[in-house]
Amino acid sequence: MLKNFLRLFICLIFITLGNSTFAQNRAISGKVIDSTTNEPLPGVTIRVVGSKAGTTTDASGSFVLSVTTSDQALTFTSINYLTKTVQLSNQNTLLVKLATNVQELKGVEVVSVGYGTLNRKEVSSAITHVSANELKAVAGNNPLMSLQGKVAGLTITNTATADPNSSPSIQLRGVSSRSAGLGPLYVINGVPGGNIDNINQNDIESIDVLKGGAASAIYGTRGSNGVIIVTTKKGTGDSKMIYNGYVSMDRLTMTPRVLTPDEFRHYRVNASPAQGIDYGANTDWMKAVTRNPTYGQKHTLQISGGTANDNYFASADYRNANGIDLRAWKKEYGARLNLNHISKNDVYTVSLNVAPRYMKTSNSDQGNFNNAITLNPTQPVYDSSGYHYLNTGFFANNPVENARKIKSQAEIRELDMSGSVRVNLLKNLYSTATISTIKSSYKNMYFRPSTMTSVVHAGQTTKTNYASQEQVDNNQQNIEWTINYALNRKQHHFKLLGGYSYSYFNYQQFSANNWDFPFDTFEWNNLGSGTWNGGGQGNGQGAVSSTQNDSRLAAFFGRINYDYDNKYILTASLRHEGSSKFGADHKWGNFPAVSVAWRISDENFMKDKISWLNDLKLRADYGITGNQDFGNYLSLLLYSGYGYFTFNGVTYQVYGPSQNVNPNLGWEKAINFNAGIDFDILNSRLAGSINYYVRTNKDLLGYYNVPLPPNPQSQTFTNVGTMKNSGIEVQLTAQVIRKSDFNYNVSFTTALNNNKFVSFSNKDHQGNPYLDVAGLPAPGSPGTIQRVQEGHRIGDFYMLKSAGVNENGALLVYKKDGTIVTANNANADDKQFVGNGLPKFTGSLGNMFTYKNWDLNIFFRGNFGYKLFNMQAFYIGTPATQTDANTLKSAYEPGNKYAKLTSSSTLSLASDYFLESGSFVKIDNVTLGYTQKVKSKYLQALRVYAAITNLHTFTSFKGGDPDLYPVNGISPGVQGNLDFYPATTQYLGGLQVTF
């Protein structure tokens, strides 16, 4: 009896304890969605407050979590969303809505400012922020081509857009130097000096352009030409895979209209005297040297996912594109991996970025297009022996043979790699250390076979075939350490930054070449088998060459951001930087900056009293930046070889000083002032910014004459000269129509730049008050056609001033005394300033239409108020063009001014007769897309789009597409040589699938 009672009692205890245990736990289930779109959010981290228990949402945003009666609340965390805490009640089912932490302009748009970010309301200097969805859809070699026309004051030009290996010229707020680099500093994912070509456009999250000196001064000696910060995409809690691919087609447009074979016979062969020979063929040389159309393709696969604490982003891309010319092509393979880990207690964050890229290229021969437009069209491409031998005309070679038989290739390897650790020392104090390496390797290979017609017909027995290889390696290593502190005291807000930066740059080059190989099949792969350099001949000491140089850069920097009540903003920074490039007496320099802003819209006398005003901010900033983009060792006394000397039967190489020492060599200094206004009105219907800037570049670098002796060389590289740029920039966006199904948004940019070269001299060096630039190539001796002179703008044309054409078809010009003579009776002293090749202002207009799932973007771009020297008209645009060369059709069209120049006596004499307005407006890009969200466990969204680039150009310029003429650098408005790459219209079709 007692035994049975004990058994029953024990069972009741276990039942009671069991019921008690189960009563203390309950299951909470629910779903997490986006508060704006109501879309489910996968990968959201859910934690029990005060406990290590937690879970994550699944692909549908759902979760199940076991909690106890003592648990009071749950926290929901996801990247790109604000953390939310939910108090637990008696509910067992929750619906949680998370708000995004990236809002409109009036909210928290994050802007990169160098070594950190700010929301737009805190920015007090000139910075333009461009998000990924604002970039143009283009099949370009460089991702910044998608930024063309999007940023006021940023000039991006490419004179060979259809060459898959071309790179654009990028210049911010006008030309800033004579001899140092003009391009901006690129900062990629926080690492300065990254490979801009090693970025897939699809991987870009945003681009921030630091235009004002106060913003870029934090980068010291590398900030004079502005800073472009590129931020790539990172992993999120939303696990997904995206495929993005396109195919492109380029077709020739605005090509030179040259004489057909029959027209050549009529106008040139039958002329009196004859201006050409009829060889009996009918050849369209332009067609013969082009692939028209030409095709390209690119494919990108991106995978991202993880949780708020551990996430990843990985992408891989492949591109294969042909140039419009016969020889150019490019194949490239790239990848990018971004890993982020945050410790459970948010003590530290570890990030890793790795981006390798491999490219194999065949380089274009842009001279072949000039061959095509100048060759006699009655010459054949082929004859009975193979390629036809050409020995007349401008260049005297067969361009099809050149393209098919001469090989010029390269293999390029790039690697950007960085790792960082951030430690949160206190709630408002953290420190970050970043180590990075940036590498690029170029292997250039060239081969010309012995079967070239120029070799065969010359009967050469030596120097028959030729091959070379060159290896170039660039390596940059960086260490960056920063510490950040934030302090809020009521209405006072402080952000402090301090840091140290060290960079090491190393350049290595090795090349070898030889002639006379036993077999053409060796190409560049057996240079030792050639007999010209070394071997039995032993000719030439230039068979091999090599070099190596390096430099170091170290800096200490600090910045303070302060605002009072979010209305009065002050930012001040200082960078103390030294470079091994500088002379012994100028190794270190200071680069201060200060900026202020006043958010007037938050003042009591305006806030909530002007209903149409959403945001209004006045800004002003001042900063000093530097430019050290010049060669290494230019401050040192260098020695080099001066030939060979034989003594007692032994040959010695003689060395002597090849460069003067300059202990005072320093950086170019830019003194920047910027004043601006940012506004947002009519409930964000109209928003934008206006900037006025003045930049004075002092201590410009260049070579100056010095006495011999005491100097061993007649010129020294030193700091002399002053240049000034000023201008106005306007950036506007407008929501013209804002409906539920239909929206029409407009973006507008314009920039006016005024440039003046102030001085070539200083107290130590007195140089000439001018520098002649933009020399024209043969045939003839045209000389230079531009002059950089004190008190004048960069780009001033300086040449003979035309007075028309006389009855004999000779060019008439004005002499300095005002008399009129034929051009061959004038001299260099009669040259005058006759125009300028630098656009006075640039502009763009974007039109974005959206209707339900459809979107249409029409983008216009243009340059205005400048002159171009018509190279085609000068060389092949008149009846007096070189004998047996082809000409433009316009040379024989009645009423055309160039048709009047029939006399060969003034053929190669440059004057403003060949200057034309370069102003243009073009339909730069049209993109039409359709996006469809898909409710499937396999697909999330599908987007199909088509784009046309360079659809049409409105211009009065007669020398082709004016956009192919350079407007950056020291000689804008001049092509500089006869080589040109024709313009194309690009058609692109793309597909984006989100899985």
Side-chain angles (χ1 to χ4, degrees), residues 793-863:
R793 293 182 78 206
I794 296 294
D796 270 353
F797 285 100
Y798 187 75
M799 61 178 86
L800 298 174
K801 183 175 178 58
S802 168
V805 180
N806 67 11
E807 64 278 4
N808 296 319
L811 177 67
L812 298 175
V813 297
Y814 290 98
K815 288 184 68 68
K816 184 161 288 187
D817 60 8
T819 59
I820 297 175
V821 297
T822 56
N824 57 323
N825 288 312
N827 55 48
D829 291 335
D830 296 314
K831 289 184 176 182
Q832 303 180 41
F833 289 103
V834 290
N836 190 278
L838 189 66
K840 290 184 179 178
F841 67 99
T842 60
S844 69
L845 179 67
N847 302 268
M848 171 62 79
F849 303 87
T850 59
Y851 176 70
K852 293 185 178 180
N853 295 346
W854 292 91
D855 59 88
L856 173 66
N857 191 355
I858 305 175
F859 190 76
F860 297 86
R861 180 173 56 85
N863 295 342

Side-chain angles (χ1 to χ4, degrees), residues 306-346:
T307 66
N309 284 18
D310 296 283
N311 57 78
Y312 61 89
F313 173 85
S315 78
D317 63 89
Y318 165 72
R319 178 179 176 231
N320 186 348
N322 290 323
I324 202 73
D325 66 292
L326 293 178
R327 196 170 74 185
W329 51 261
K330 183 173 188 177
K331 294 181 181 179
E332 64 178 308
Y333 310 83
R336 182 170 296 274
L337 175 65
N338 182 295
L339 300 175
N340 296 280
H341 167 71
I342 302 175
S343 64
K344 289 184 178 180
N345 297 320
D346 200 23

Side-chain angles (χ1 to χ4, degrees), residues 442-503:
Y442 303 83
K443 183 180 180 181
N444 301 309
M445 300 158 288
Y446 183 89
F447 176 71
R448 190 180 68 211
S450 60
T451 56
M452 298 293 294
T453 55
S454 57
V455 174
V456 173
H457 283 263
Q460 291 179 220
T461 57
T462 60
K463 287 194 171 184
T464 55
N465 49 16
Y466 172 81
S468 67
Q469 280 200 37
E470 179 188 37
Q471 182 70 38
V472 178
D473 294 292
N474 287 285
N475 185 12
Q476 176 183 342
Q477 297 174 346
N478 306 293
I479 298 175
E480 306 267 342
W481 169 81
T482 60
I483 186 166
N484 295 73
Y485 177 72
L487 177 65
N488 297 323
R489 286 291 182 268
K490 295 183 179 180
Q491 295 170 306
H492 300 276
H493 309 117
F494 298 88
K495 293 181 180 178
L496 288 85
L497 163 74
Y500 169 75
S501 174
Y502 174 82
S503 296

Side-chain angles (χ1 to χ4, degrees), residues 264-300:
F264 184 87
R265 294 182 178 98
H266 175 72
Y267 291 113
R268 304 285 284 166
V269 175
N270 297 329
S272 182
Q275 296 292 310
I277 301 172
D278 185 358
Y279 295 93
N282 294 282
T283 304
D284 184 340
W285 283 105
M286 193 68 181
K287 182 178 180 180
V289 299
T290 58
R291 287 182 285 218
N292 187 31
T294 188
Y295 300 93
Q297 58 178 307
K298 183 173 182 177
H299 307 276
T300 302

Side-chain angles (χ1 to χ4, degrees), residues 583-603:
D585 298 338
H586 286 77
K587 291 293 185 185
W588 291 85
N590 295 314
F591 302 91
V594 62
S595 61
V596 294
W598 178 24
R599 298 194 67 244
I600 306 175
S601 55
D602 276 11
E603 293 287 358

Side-chain angles (χ1 to χ4, degrees), residues 28 199 296 309 332 392 436-437 541 654 679 718 724 766 778 791 813 844 874 950 973:
I28 300 294
I199 296 182
N309 284 18
E332 64 178 308
T392 65
S436 60
T437 182
Q541 299 294 334
V654 180
F679 60 90
T718 189
K724 184 177 181 180
Q766 297 297 315
V813 297
S844 69
F874 181 71
N950 196 25

Side-chain angles (χ1 to χ4, degrees), residues 863-886:
N863 295 342
F864 309 92
Y866 68 117
K867 298 288 186 179
L868 297 178
F869 186 79
N870 191 332
M871 295 283 286
Q872 294 175 11
F874 181 71
Y875 284 100
I876 61 170
T878 72
T881 295
Q882 179 177 316
T883 300
D884 216 30
N886 205 354

